[in-house]
Amino acid sequence: MSALEKAYEVLSAAIGTESPPGDWFTVTQDQVNRFADVTGDHQWIHVDIERAKNGPFGAPIAHGHLTLSILGLIGKTDKPSNLPTVEGQKMGINYGFNKVRFPAPVPVGARIRSTRTLKSVEIKGGMIEVMNEVVVEVEGQDKPACVAESLARMVF
C-alpha cells in the first residue's frame, strides 16, 4: 500500500473528528487599520472609531476577510491534535474554500479562536484533498463570526 493510500485510509477513519480549539487571539484596531490599508477597504465600520460607536454594531468591527485570512493563526494551539498523523506527506497546499459565511461581527478588541472538524477526504491524483469545517468563535458571543469549508491538498 502506498503512503497516499495508507494516509487516505487513516484520514477517512477520522472523518468527524474535531480539533481542540485554537488559542485565543485578540483583534486590535491596528490590525484592522493595516488590513484596510492593504486591501483598500477603509469602510467606516472598520476604521472610524467614533462613527462606528454610533453605527449598527456599536463599535468598529474587523473585516470578514481579515477573519478569513487569519484562520491558520487562530487555529494554532499547543494542545495535541485529535487527528492521526500520516506518513509520507511532502507538503500541504491551501486549495481554497467551498463555502464561507460571516454570521456575526468580530468587534475590535474581541478575542477569537477556531475549531476544525474533518468533513471529507478524497484522493485527487497524487494528492489527498481534505475538507474541514472551520468555526470561528468570539469570546462571549453565541453566534460564530465565521463558518467556512476549508480545502487543503496533501501532496505525497
Side-chain angles (χ1 to χ4, degrees):
M1 182 180 289
S2 72
L4 180 138
E5 292 166 328
K6 186 166 175 78
Y8 174 78
E9 189 176 275
V10 167
L11 291 169
S12 292
I15 290 174
T17 301
E18 183 178 298
S19 68
D23 296 331
W24 288 109
F25 175 83
T26 302
V27 177
T28 67
Q29 187 64 55
D30 182 58
Q31 292 160 340
V32 170
N33 292 345
R34 287 186 289 137
F35 189 82
D37 289 342
V38 168
T39 61
D41 181 354
H42 291 93
Q43 188 179 79
W44 62 269
I45 61 173
H46 306 301
V47 298
D48 187 333
I49 297 168
E50 290 309 311
R51 186 172 176 196
K53 286 179 184 176
N54 297 312
F57 306 109
I61 61 169
H63 304 73
H65 283 102
L66 170 57
T67 304
L68 189 64
S69 9
I70 61 172
L71 287 183
L73 176 66
I74 63 176
K76 289 184 179 178
T77 182
D78 290 335
K79 299 172 196 125
S81 173
N82 296 336
L83 288 174
T85 56
V86 295
E87 300 294 323
Q89 181 181 352
K90 295 176 184 167
M91 69 175 189
I93 301 168
N94 173 0
Y95 195 63
F97 297 92
N98 280 341
K99 183 178 178 183
V100 177
R101 296 292 182 265
F102 303 108
V106 175
V108 168
R111 293 187 342 146
I112 61 175
R113 65 182 179 182
S114 71
T115 56
R116 296 173 187 274
T117 303
L118 181 61
K119 291 294 189 176
S120 68
V121 178
E122 268 185 82
I123 294 177
K124 301 274 186 161
M127 297 177 272
I128 295 177
E129 183 176 286
V130 295
M131 192 270 283
N132 284 288
E133 179 183 67
V134 183
V135 178
V136 177
E137 168 189 6
V138 179
E139 189 175 41
Q141 281 186 195
D142 292 333
K143 272 185 154 180
C146 179
V147 179
E149 293 178 354
S150 175
L151 299 173
R153 291 220 170 154
M154 303 168 73
V155 180
F156 289 84

